[in-house]
Amino acid sequence: MDLIYKHEDLFAFTKTVFTKSGMNESDAALSAKVLLEADLRGIDSHGVARLSGYIRLKDANRANMNANWKVIHETPSTATIDADGGLGLVVANKAMEIAIKKAKAVGTGWVAIQNSNHFGIAAAHAMMALEHDMIGFAMTNASPLVAPTHSKERMLGTNPICACFPTANELPFVLDMATSAAANGKLEIAQRKGKDLPNDWVQTKDGLPSNDAHELKNGGSLLPLGGHKGYGLAAMVDIMSAVLSGANYGPWVPPFVAFLNPLENLPGNGIGHFVGAMRIDAFRPANEFKTHMDNWIKRFKESIPIDANQPVLIPGEIEYKTKKDRLLSGIPLNENVVKDLEALANSLSITF
Amino acid sequence: MDLIYKHEDLFAFTKTVFTKSGMNESDAALSAKVLLEADLRGIDSHGVARLSGYIRLKDANRANMNANWKVIHETPSTATIDADGGLGLVVANKAMEIAIKKAKAVGTGWVAIQNSNHFGIAAAHAMMALEHDMIGFAMTNASPLVAPTHSKERMLGTNPICACFPTANELPFVLDMATSAAANGKLEIAQRKGKDLPNDWVQTKDGLPSNDAHELKNGGSLLPLGGHKGYGLAAMVDIMSAVLSGANYGPWVPPFVAFLNPLENLPGNGIGHFVGAMRIDAFRPANEFKTHMDNWIKRFKESIPIDANQPVLIPGEIEYKTKKDRLLSGIPLNENVVKDLEALANSLSITF
């Protein structure tokens, strides 16, 4: 059963959890904002459902709530950041600010981040570009759950990519997708509903096909999107996020969960992200681009549907509608998430 | 049946075809080089098999062999090019040179191209970055064959993306993939072999599932890679290549074949590409990155295989081996391609 919470209340609670855990006011507010953006957009697996996980990582000395990130290398259009073991929620946002500033100066800006932790949803960072009439990008590597094609070993994360494009009057185009066939959140939904998975989402620990939503617990792995191409995309994200920044890559990416230990002899620092911003008017006048984006969107929405009741959707459309709804009507939380947050509140002597 | 041709002979023939068709010496040599790169790498659908198609487009006044491309907009890290209706084979290569030059100056370089035609394989352009210790990117939109999720209308091309990364001692990582489940070339192979297609490659004109390799001829459409995520990726490529550059997008992309006419009231000029180069040492020292790339590749090749006889492959690995083989042993051409080239030679009063 789901319980409904007001966005403002969840934000205030989340911010308090972060300040009580040693974060300064402004980083806590930013972390809460980024985390809540997931709940607002309907990406329930990446919102407050993860809050206690961040705190457990801090308790295990694997997330630094008092981090001092810094730029360790830069050119006019690029920078590399050492996140000092802090949360990606904060540093990816700061990195995006730097990317936007560089784009203002020289047309585009690109920032690679090492020594970080989970950054929430990619869209929360990439979409910062939109209000500046820029194209935004964000990607991250993640702890290994996905087997490359022909392997039964977990070597890659769900490694999401977000690319977003501003519009004139239509809702912006916001693609934010895992490069695995399905992210973990979708498996959890199938588990809760007791449903079988579609083909090609998971395989057994021996690399055999499976439709079991619990396959990961049995040592199985997630499968890349659409076979070997998804493996290639996930690998690209891993390399851009980690080999380029100096973070850990492939099977060495530290687990997001505190009860699993990182491997030894790591090749890098923490996990890695990559963000970027491209000024539209570095290519053509922004109003021209945005008018054509509206035209693009209208034409795609009018493309002939297979089923008249299911028109073509634009990437990001559902999330915008969900956010509008949830800002008005509140955010539904699964009862297990509620119990988890109540326990977290207890442990910090605050109320939920 | 396949006939074997020496690379040098096919190059000389291709270059002659282009010069006889009005192209200057250096553009003809570049076009032949880019086209042959596809044959060498085993992407047979994008090599000399397309040569007569380019000439038919020229004969229909839809490809300009005497094009004067020019930069119409730029910033320190970006440029937009009007290709003057020429072949993408030439202009995408020139655009990549500009991207590399800008990356040398400010860390990264990004070039959007409008008013172009088919550019061959994306890898032929993106890989130019590798010898400069840069990451290379190339993408293009293409004539509409792919239906967005929930639609039965052809709205997107196979819209490929290439991303390539330099290495120290291993072969470079070169991902070059269509964002459709399968590109047209794979359907043609199935047609020749009289084989059924896997699920999720094509749908009928009514949007129903199909395994028929001839479905496109019956008005059906290709399907995006892995469902709605592939639609999102193809859309991203379309927007980066065309909405950003001022080219045609979506269903308005002019057909590659001369026997189909472009639509009327087009929103842009020709087809569009997008290329980019990122200097590795704009993020971290190039030797560090390349050593870690070698480590990445070795670790992935060692990941536990499902079948001991089929180890994990690295993107680009097969193509490097094919190129090495074909430079030594020659390029096999399908007999229909040979007949087509003989007819082309006849029409230009040259020998094949």
mmCIF file of all heavy atoms in Angstrom, chain B residues 155-179:
data_model
loop_
_atom_site.group_PDB
_atom_site.id
_atom_site.type_symbol
_atom_site.label_atom_id
_atom_site.label_comp_id
_atom_site.label_asym_id
_atom_site.label_seq_id
_atom_site.Cartn_x
_atom_site.Cartn_y
_atom_site.Cartn_z
ATOM 1 N N MET B 155 9.339 7.244 -39.217
ATOM 2 C CA MET B 155 9.593 8.624 -38.776
ATOM 3 C C MET B 155 11.074 8.911 -38.566
ATOM 4 O O MET B 155 11.468 10.073 -38.472
ATOM 5 C CB MET B 155 8.861 8.868 -37.460
ATOM 6 C CG MET B 155 7.344 8.782 -37.558
ATOM 7 S SD MET B 155 6.629 10.204 -38.409
ATOM 8 C CE MET B 155 6.848 11.468 -37.148
ATOM 9 N N LEU B 156 11.884 7.872 -38.415
ATOM 10 C CA LEU B 156 13.300 8.060 -38.075
ATOM 11 C C LEU B 156 14.167 7.175 -38.954
ATOM 12 O O LEU B 156 13.720 6.127 -39.427
ATOM 13 C CB LEU B 156 13.540 7.686 -36.611
ATOM 14 C CG LEU B 156 12.935 8.623 -35.558
ATOM 15 C CD1 LEU B 156 12.769 7.913 -34.229
ATOM 16 C CD2 LEU B 156 13.805 9.868 -35.396
ATOM 17 N N GLY B 157 15.417 7.571 -39.124
ATOM 18 C CA GLY B 157 16.372 6.724 -39.826
ATOM 19 C C GLY B 157 16.999 5.710 -38.879
ATOM 20 O O GLY B 157 16.650 5.651 -37.694
ATOM 21 N N THR B 158 17.920 4.944 -39.409
ATOM 22 C CA THR B 158 18.641 4.007 -38.544
ATOM 23 C C THR B 158 19.665 4.760 -37.685
ATOM 24 O O THR B 158 20.315 4.164 -36.826
ATOM 25 C CB THR B 158 19.355 2.936 -39.389
ATOM 26 O OG1 THR B 158 20.152 3.602 -40.379
ATOM 27 C CG2 THR B 158 18.360 2.040 -40.090
ATOM 28 N N ASN B 159 19.792 6.046 -37.900
ATOM 29 C CA ASN B 159 20.525 7.030 -37.092
ATOM 30 C C ASN B 159 21.660 6.481 -36.226
ATOM 31 O O ASN B 159 21.512 6.344 -35.008
ATOM 32 C CB ASN B 159 19.509 7.786 -36.221
ATOM 33 C CG ASN B 159 18.536 8.615 -37.051
ATOM 34 O OD1 ASN B 159 18.542 8.529 -38.271
ATOM 35 N ND2 ASN B 159 17.709 9.414 -36.402
ATOM 36 N N PRO B 160 22.805 6.203 -36.846
ATOM 37 C CA PRO B 160 23.908 5.596 -36.109
ATOM 38 C C PRO B 160 24.671 6.576 -35.225
ATOM 39 O O PRO B 160 24.680 7.785 -35.470
ATOM 40 C CB PRO B 160 24.828 5.089 -37.216
ATOM 41 C CG PRO B 160 24.597 6.043 -38.340
ATOM 42 C CD PRO B 160 23.133 6.402 -38.266
ATOM 43 N N ILE B 161 25.302 6.020 -34.208
ATOM 44 C CA ILE B 161 26.202 6.740 -33.306
ATOM 45 C C ILE B 161 27.537 6.014 -33.305
ATOM 46 O O ILE B 161 27.571 4.800 -33.122
ATOM 47 C CB ILE B 161 25.697 6.718 -31.850
ATOM 48 C CG1 ILE B 161 24.319 7.330 -31.724
ATOM 49 C CG2 ILE B 161 26.683 7.434 -30.923
ATOM 50 C CD1 ILE B 161 23.760 7.271 -30.296
ATOM 51 N N CYS B 162 28.632 6.749 -33.460
ATOM 52 C CA CYS B 162 29.950 6.176 -33.226
ATOM 53 C C CYS B 162 30.641 6.945 -32.111
ATOM 54 O O CYS B 162 30.638 8.177 -32.104
ATOM 55 C CB CYS B 162 30.809 6.227 -34.498
ATOM 56 S SG CYS B 162 32.481 5.584 -34.218
ATOM 57 N N ALA B 163 31.219 6.205 -31.172
ATOM 58 C CA ALA B 163 32.075 6.789 -30.130
ATOM 59 C C ALA B 163 33.325 5.939 -30.075
ATOM 60 O O ALA B 163 33.239 4.705 -29.987
ATOM 61 C CB ALA B 163 31.372 6.768 -28.776
ATOM 62 N N CYS B 164 34.505 6.565 -30.159
ATOM 63 C CA CYS B 164 35.732 5.765 -30.135
ATOM 64 C C CYS B 164 36.759 6.358 -29.202
ATOM 65 O O CYS B 164 36.833 7.576 -29.031
ATOM 66 C CB CYS B 164 36.277 5.560 -31.543
ATOM 67 S SG CYS B 164 36.568 7.056 -32.453
ATOM 68 N N PHE B 165 37.535 5.475 -28.597
ATOM 69 C CA PHE B 165 38.444 5.824 -27.509
ATOM 70 C C PHE B 165 39.824 5.239 -27.793
ATOM 71 O O PHE B 165 39.940 4.043 -28.086
ATOM 72 C CB PHE B 165 37.908 5.257 -26.191
ATOM 73 C CG PHE B 165 36.529 5.749 -25.835
ATOM 74 C CD1 PHE B 165 35.395 5.063 -26.244
ATOM 75 C CD2 PHE B 165 36.368 6.922 -25.099
ATOM 76 C CE1 PHE B 165 34.120 5.517 -25.924
ATOM 77 C CE2 PHE B 165 35.101 7.390 -24.767
ATOM 78 C CZ PHE B 165 33.977 6.679 -25.182
ATOM 79 N N PRO B 166 40.867 6.061 -27.659
ATOM 80 C CA PRO B 166 42.219 5.552 -27.919
ATOM 81 C C PRO B 166 42.731 4.662 -26.790
ATOM 82 O O PRO B 166 42.244 4.730 -25.654
ATOM 83 C CB PRO B 166 43.055 6.827 -28.010
ATOM 84 C CG PRO B 166 42.322 7.858 -27.223
ATOM 85 C CD PRO B 166 40.868 7.487 -27.298
ATOM 86 N N THR B 167 43.698 3.826 -27.115
ATOM 87 C CA THR B 167 44.276 2.864 -26.180
ATOM 88 C C THR B 167 45.798 2.953 -26.264
ATOM 89 O O THR B 167 46.328 3.657 -27.136
ATOM 90 C CB THR B 167 43.848 1.441 -26.587
ATOM 91 O OG1 THR B 167 43.994 1.335 -28.003
ATOM 92 C CG2 THR B 167 42.397 1.154 -26.214
ATOM 93 N N ALA B 168 46.482 2.216 -25.391
ATOM 94 C CA ALA B 168 47.947 2.190 -25.466
ATOM 95 C C ALA B 168 48.379 1.051 -26.396
ATOM 96 O O ALA B 168 48.838 1.297 -27.513
ATOM 97 C CB ALA B 168 48.541 2.031 -24.077
ATOM 98 N N ASN B 169 48.186 -0.192 -25.963
ATOM 99 C CA ASN B 169 48.631 -1.344 -26.760
ATOM 100 C C ASN B 169 47.496 -2.182 -27.321
ATOM 101 O O ASN B 169 47.686 -2.944 -28.267
ATOM 102 C CB ASN B 169 49.546 -2.223 -25.912
ATOM 103 C CG ASN B 169 50.787 -1.465 -25.483
ATOM 104 O OD1 ASN B 169 51.451 -0.845 -26.308
ATOM 105 N ND2 ASN B 169 51.081 -1.478 -24.191
ATOM 106 N N GLU B 170 46.327 -2.098 -26.701
ATOM 107 C CA GLU B 170 45.169 -2.821 -27.224
ATOM 108 C C GLU B 170 44.636 -2.108 -28.469
ATOM 109 O O GLU B 170 44.977 -0.946 -28.725
ATOM 110 C CB GLU B 170 44.070 -2.888 -26.149
ATOM 111 C CG GLU B 170 44.469 -3.605 -24.874
ATOM 112 C CD GLU B 170 44.642 -5.113 -25.073
ATOM 113 O OE1 GLU B 170 43.923 -5.692 -25.902
ATOM 114 O OE2 GLU B 170 45.517 -5.694 -24.415
ATOM 115 N N LEU B 171 43.782 -2.794 -29.229
ATOM 116 C CA LEU B 171 43.085 -2.128 -30.326
ATOM 117 C C LEU B 171 42.151 -1.073 -29.739
ATOM 118 O O LEU B 171 41.568 -1.288 -28.674
ATOM 119 C CB LEU B 171 42.263 -3.151 -31.122
ATOM 120 C CG LEU B 171 43.066 -4.218 -31.869
ATOM 121 C CD1 LEU B 171 42.120 -5.264 -32.453
ATOM 122 C CD2 LEU B 171 43.898 -3.568 -32.964
ATOM 123 N N PRO B 172 41.993 0.074 -30.414
ATOM 124 C CA PRO B 172 41.063 1.087 -29.895
ATOM 125 C C PRO B 172 39.638 0.538 -29.740
ATOM 126 O O PRO B 172 39.249 -0.413 -30.422
ATOM 127 C CB PRO B 172 41.108 2.177 -30.971
ATOM 128 C CG PRO B 172 42.418 2.006 -31.640
ATOM 129 C CD PRO B 172 42.684 0.525 -31.628
ATOM 130 N N PHE B 173 38.903 1.148 -28.832
ATOM 131 C CA PHE B 173 37.486 0.824 -28.597
ATOM 132 C C PHE B 173 36.679 1.655 -29.582
ATOM 133 O O PHE B 173 36.719 2.892 -29.530
ATOM 134 C CB PHE B 173 37.158 1.188 -27.149
ATOM 135 C CG PHE B 173 35.722 0.980 -26.725
ATOM 136 C CD1 PHE B 173 35.396 0.019 -25.778
ATOM 137 C CD2 PHE B 173 34.696 1.758 -27.244
ATOM 138 C CE1 PHE B 173 34.082 -0.162 -25.358
ATOM 139 C CE2 PHE B 173 33.384 1.586 -26.832
ATOM 140 C CZ PHE B 173 33.077 0.627 -25.887
ATOM 141 N N VAL B 174 35.976 1.012 -30.502
ATOM 142 C CA VAL B 174 35.209 1.727 -31.527
ATOM 143 C C VAL B 174 33.783 1.181 -31.556
ATOM 144 O O VAL B 174 33.516 0.128 -32.138
ATOM 145 C CB VAL B 174 35.851 1.585 -32.927
ATOM 146 C CG1 VAL B 174 35.039 2.389 -33.953
ATOM 147 C CG2 VAL B 174 37.304 2.047 -32.921
ATOM 148 N N LEU B 175 32.889 1.895 -30.911
ATOM 149 C CA LEU B 175 31.465 1.555 -30.958
ATOM 150 C C LEU B 175 30.863 2.287 -32.146
ATOM 151 O O LEU B 175 30.989 3.508 -32.240
ATOM 152 C CB LEU B 175 30.794 2.009 -29.654
ATOM 153 C CG LEU B 175 29.271 1.849 -29.572
ATOM 154 C CD1 LEU B 175 28.886 0.379 -29.517
ATOM 155 C CD2 LEU B 175 28.712 2.586 -28.354
ATOM 156 N N ASP B 176 30.232 1.576 -33.054
ATOM 157 C CA ASP B 176 29.581 2.200 -34.212
ATOM 158 C C ASP B 176 28.310 1.413 -34.455
ATOM 159 O O ASP B 176 28.352 0.298 -34.978
ATOM 160 C CB ASP B 176 30.503 2.171 -35.437
ATOM 161 C CG ASP B 176 29.939 2.976 -36.608
ATOM 162 O OD1 ASP B 176 28.875 3.609 -36.451
ATOM 163 O OD2 ASP B 176 30.565 2.971 -37.686
ATOM 164 N N MET B 177 27.185 1.986 -34.073
ATOM 165 C CA MET B 177 25.938 1.202 -34.058
ATOM 166 C C MET B 177 24.743 2.012 -34.552
ATOM 167 O O MET B 177 24.602 3.194 -34.249
ATOM 168 C CB MET B 177 25.660 0.735 -32.634
ATOM 169 C CG MET B 177 25.698 1.842 -31.593
ATOM 170 S SD MET B 177 25.088 1.308 -29.957
ATOM 171 C CE MET B 177 23.356 1.821 -30.104
ATOM 172 N N ALA B 178 23.888 1.361 -35.308
ATOM 173 C CA ALA B 178 22.590 1.947 -35.619
ATOM 174 C C ALA B 178 21.763 1.959 -34.339
ATOM 175 O O ALA B 178 21.939 1.103 -33.465
ATOM 176 C CB ALA B 178 21.887 1.126 -36.695
ATOM 177 N N THR B 179 20.868 2.937 -34.223
ATOM 178 C CA THR B 179 19.972 2.973 -33.066
ATOM 179 C C THR B 179 18.668 2.215 -33.328
ATOM 180 O O THR B 179 17.784 2.207 -32.486
ATOM 181 C CB THR B 179 19.665 4.436 -32.666
ATOM 182 O OG1 THR B 179 19.220 5.142 -33.821
ATOM 183 C CG2 THR B 179 20.906 5.112 -32.104
#
